[in-house]
Amino acid sequence: MSLVPYPPEAVDRYRSAGLWGTRTIADELHAVASQHPDRDAVVALDGRVTYRQLDSRSDLLAAGLAGLGLRPGDPVLLQVTNRLDTVLGWYGLLKAGLVPVATLAAHRAHEISEIARRVGAVAHLVERGGKFDLVGFAREQAVGQVLVLGELPEGDPARARGLVEEIQAGIGPDAVAVYQLSGGTTGVPKVIPRLHAEYWYNAAAYARSWGWTPETRVAHLIPVIHNAGIVCAVHAAHSAGACLVLGTPDLDESLPLLAREGATHVLLGHGHYRAADHPGFPAATAAITQVVLSGAKVPPSLFDRLEARGIWSGQLFGMGEGLFLTTRPGAPRTARATTVGTPLSEHDEIRILEPGSETEVPPGAVGELCARGPYTLRGYYDAAEHNARAFTSDGLYRTGDLASSQPIEGQRYVSIEGRIKDLINRGGEKINAEEVELVLLRHPRITGAAAVAMPDPRLGERTCAYLVVDGDPLTLPEVAEHFAAHGVATFKWPERIEHLAEIPRTLVGKTDKKALAADIARRIGPEEMSAR
Ligand code: AMP
């Protein structure tokens, strides 16, 4: 079976507790839009829409998409960046009953061909105008129909609403709404099916956890077609009737937008932990009442600086697979500064297990964070073999993250203490080490390869490849050429190489990644970390 369903008794429990609703995401948006028609729904660098405009324009897009012969349930790949049209297109797809597949604008042939095959994508939605010609790329990939943001056909305004209602009436709340991609498993990314009711619940619970209201103005700077972008920004803001202030990762253009639009809440990913040093930061945060830090361990100095400016700060742990932990308003300062908080839902069950076992570690000890709950997946899509390893026997998802928990003022708070999954977290983009190694080993002169995370002051981590080669050492440009020839997304290319006579092994014969990570951390050293 490709899709692992939530057990029927869990569905009943989540629904009767009022967590899961009975509407599709498109219907949820329409209901909120009808309540707040004249409020701002999205303010982006390239335009703005009220809820009424968002609702009616996405209806037109849905009708246009249906007119192209795309059918409810059809997966559509998305490769777009943070623009107003992206949000319109997102809801347009959902309203047409199509299933957005959240690939990254940075993905190339290596990723797109595999993801398209795995989900059976019938169309590829891209944007025009970036440095890379995504439209030409999509044509070459020939996944199906090539759709271009801003150039999508619109249906008949008199019929669009009725058509959307008809389409949505045919979709159950527990059908697949979106495919997200996992960064943290073996090989190429695994596909995470997200269902209408649970995905909307995830976002609505997130908005409630911060106490958002229709007055809230939620700024988002990191790629919006990511799980964090959809849950924490697009759906969460819209579940509360709030405004999404959509910037881009470029602080020079986005901080003035936050200032102009009076943003009240912002999520800062690891790549933006230095935003506080930017000259535009004070103006951008003049109306901010909540800064949420996420994606990597938060340096205490950053937390102190934000609080010294009077900005309330908290933390978030989240993943495309589901589980969220947050330090919500009212959490003690120590909890906000040193932990990622408590689970989003009172129905989340978390356990910290000895890796590879089902035994809980003693209180306070470090183990693998495992979770089951009303918005955490029960299985990757079409991945039976992997699923058998990725869950405990009673269905808790093994996150691959290491965590500990400690009581603070009577509550159990979780801290992230590292990870066991073999990936590199490059400013929030997850790079699968095994995927990189498999590409390296396709090079005719590379006989051994290990990809490890090297510390980087700006991005947190970047990829260093340890290589065993036949003949003369390879240069970094030669390795880059090899990755380009295989159509691999640039963010996955090794950014440093080290040559070895052989790859070090552990006693059980696995690549000794710990030794290699320690080696590269030593070579980089504190001077290089502070110089960059
Ligand atoms: P993604 O599914 O791309 O959102 O990535 C989720 C992964 O990012 C988690 O499994 C963690 O490895 C990492 N992550 C997310 N939030 C945090 C955090 N606050 N601290 C440390 N790691 C985090």
Side-chain angles (χ1 to χ4, degrees):
M1 194 174 20
S2 300
L3 201 65
V4 184
Y6 282 76
E9 68 69 29
V11 174
D12 286 350
R13 193 153 31 93
Y14 300 148
R15 193 153 271 129
S16 55
L19 312 183
W20 287 18
T22 52
R23 293 184 182 131
T24 60
I25 292 173
D27 283 347
E28 294 283 7
L29 175 74
H30 179 65
V32 176
S34 309
Q35 272 184 305
H36 306 283
D38 298 317
R39 285 192 170 275
D40 287 338
V42 186
V43 177
L45 285 160
D46 59 344
R48 61 200 303 142
V49 284
T50 61
Y51 273 97
R52 180 185 287 113
Q53 291 166 328
L54 174 62
D55 197 33
S56 60
R57 287 177 61 185
S58 53
D59 277 356
L60 294 179
L61 292 176
L65 290 164
L68 294 175
L70 298 170
R71 294 276 153 257
D74 283 348
V76 177
L77 303 187
L78 247 79
Q79 280 197 284
V80 292
T81 59
N82 293 11
R83 303 176 179 201
L84 178 60
D85 278 335
T86 298
V87 184
L88 289 164
W90 176 261
Y91 286 118
L93 289 172
L94 289 166
K95 285 183 171 187
L98 300 167
V99 181
V101 185
T103 68
L104 303 176
H107 281 153
R108 296 294 175 260
H110 171 74
E111 294 85 15
I112 291 298
S113 58
E114 171 60 20
I115 297 162
R117 189 190 61 73
R118 196 163 285 198
V119 298
V122 301
H124 192 167
L125 175 60
V126 291
E127 66 185 19
R128 212 181 273 290
K131 270 188 241 136
F132 178 75
D133 175 16
L134 276 166
V135 179
F137 170 69
R139 293 216 174 95
E140 265 164 40
Q141 291 303 299
V143 165
Q145 295 196 44
V146 175
L147 308 171
V148 183
L149 217 54
E151 300 169 24
L152 294 172
E154 295 191 355
D156 174 1
R159 294 196 47 238
R161 178 88 297 257
L163 181 63
V164 169
E165 281 172 8
E166 204 177 296
I167 292 172
Q168 296 301 312
I171 303 172
D174 304 338
V176 175
V178 173
Y179 287 120
Q180 282 290 352
L181 301 177
S182 167
T185 59
T186 53
V188 282
K190 297 280 181 295
V191 176
I192 304 165
R194 300 299 306 251
L195 320 180
H196 286 274
E198 62 84 12
Y199 207 32
W200 190 259
Y201 165 69
N202 187 174
Y206 183 77
R208 275 194 299 272
S209 82
W210 301 116
W212 292 358
T213 70
E215 310 294 327
T216 306
R217 296 176 76 82
V218 181
H220 197 77
L221 306 173
I222 50 189
V224 76
I225 304 294
H226 239 170
N227 186 60
I230 296 302
V231 174
C232 308
V234 182
H235 289 175
H238 294 155
S239 74
C243 173
L244 167 63
V245 179
L246 184 60
T248 68
D250 180 348
L251 294 176
D252 292 339
E253 60 179 15
S254 297
L255 292 180
L257 176 76
L258 269 58
R260 235 176 11 249
E261 294 299 335
T264 60
H265 175 107
V266 67
L267 171 67
L268 293 180
H270 187 266
H272 284 140
Y273 280 5
R274 292 187 164 187
D277 298 334
H278 193 285
F281 193 73
T285 51
I288 292 272
T289 54
Q290 295 170 336
V291 169
V292 177
L293 303 163
S294 180
K297 201 123 191 123
V298 175
S301 58
L302 169 62
F303 195 86
D304 292 345
R305 271 173 46 226
L306 289 171
E307 294 247 310
R309 287 173 185 263
I311 302 175
W312 186 96
S313 310
Q315 294 195 40
L316 157 71
F317 168 93
M319 61 194 321
E321 281 82 355
L323 182 67
F324 268 59
L325 300 142
T326 59
T327 58
R328 51 199 82 200
R333 189 183 187 284
T334 343
R336 291 186 284 114
T338 61
T339 82
V340 292
T342 54
L344 190 57
S345 173
E346 68 276 25
H347 285 248
D348 279 322
E349 299 165 68
I350 60 166
R351 278 183 223 153
I352 299 179
L353 303 181
E354 273 171 28
S357 85
E358 302 209 347
T359 313
E360 286 198 54
V361 299
V366 174
E368 184 178 15
L369 180 63
C370 298
R372 181 171 65 180
Y375 58 96
T376 295
L377 88 173
R378 302 299 168 125
Y380 290 102
Y381 182 73
D382 196 17
E385 206 181 304
H386 182 71
N387 286 338
R389 292 189 299 275
F391 292 82
T392 63
S393 56
D394 49 358
L396 276 86
Y397 172 62
R398 297 180 185 275
T399 65
D401 291 300
L402 290 171
S404 66
S405 75
Q406 78 240 39
I408 302 174
E409 296 183 13
Q411 275 254 41
R412 181 185 179 209
Y413 283 90
V414 175
S415 306
I416 302 299
E417 308 283 358
R419 59 175 178 253
I420 45 180
K421 54 192 169 193
D422 195 7
L423 58 78
I424 295 126
N425 186 348
R426 186 182 191 278
E429 300 293 14
K430 313 300 182 301
I431 302 168
N432 193 289
E434 185 188 346
E435 185 182 353
V436 173
E437 288 157 9
L438 291 175
V439 175
L440 286 165
L441 288 170
R442 283 200 231 154
H443 190 283
R445 289 210 292 119
I446 297 180
T447 59
V452 296
M454 63 177 166
D456 181 78
R458 190 170 63 84
L459 295 165
E461 299 174 7
R462 296 192 300 152
T463 307
C464 172
Y466 282 86
L467 302 178
V468 180
V469 301
D470 259 351
D472 291 338
L474 283 169
T475 62
L476 195 55
E478 284 170 326
V479 172
E481 204 177 299
H482 172 70
F483 274 70
H486 283 81
V488 179
T490 319
F491 72 90
K492 297 182 187 169
W493 299 7
E495 291 173 84
R496 174 167 176 149
I497 49 178
E498 295 289 336
H499 288 82
L500 292 172
E502 61 183 310
I503 298 289
R505 303 273 163 199
T506 62
L507 291 176
V508 292
K510 285 192 181 167
T511 300
D512 192 347
K513 292 266 170 115
K514 264 197 191 146
L516 294 176
D519 180 69
I520 193 62
R522 201 166 44 238
R523 282 169 193 265
I524 286 188
E527 302 84 56
E528 201 167 330
M529 282 293 281
S530 54
R532 276 206 239 148

